[in-house]
Amino acid sequence: MLTIKVLGSGCENCKKVEATARKAVTTMGMEAQVEKVTDYAAIHKYPILATPGLVINEKLVCAGRIPTEAEVTTWLVNAEMGAS
């Protein structure tokens, strides 16, 4: 199962990133655990300069913008292939 983390304060952009990630997971029929990380110290364990951020299996794949569903789908496939 993939682990997806949305890094940010919980603002509208963070919610959009979370919704996009959940939609991509559902569309692909994957199993993934999606969690929100709002703790400042926890967010800065990743090499992130701006939120929102998206982490898949502990790898930061996007920061400072809202990715498209196609981008998230590509990252999910790559993460799943790397995990197997």
Side-chain angles (χ1 to χ4, degrees):
M1 180 181 351
L2 298 173
T3 303
I4 300 169
K5 295 180 181 177
V6 178
L7 311 178
S9 63
C11 66
E12 279 306 308
N13 286 344
C14 297
K15 291 175 186 172
K16 288 177 185 173
V17 171
E18 180 185 3
T20 301
R22 287 185 186 277
K23 186 173 180 195
V25 167
T26 302
T27 300
M28 297 180 63
M30 294 178 138
E31 282 192 39
Q33 176 183 343
V34 180
E35 67 180 84
K36 295 180 227 179
V37 179
T38 57
D39 180 64
Y40 187 78
I43 290 170
H44 282 85
K45 289 180 183 174
Y46 300 94
I48 185 170
L49 297 176
T51 58
L54 185 64
V55 174
I56 300 175
N57 286 354
E58 293 305 312
K59 180 182 176 191
L60 181 69
V61 293
C62 184
R65 66 183 181 87
I66 301 166
T68 65
E69 187 179 342
E71 287 177 305
V72 175
T73 299
T74 300
W75 296 326
L76 290 171
V77 169
N78 289 342
E80 191 168 64
M81 288 173 54
S84 55

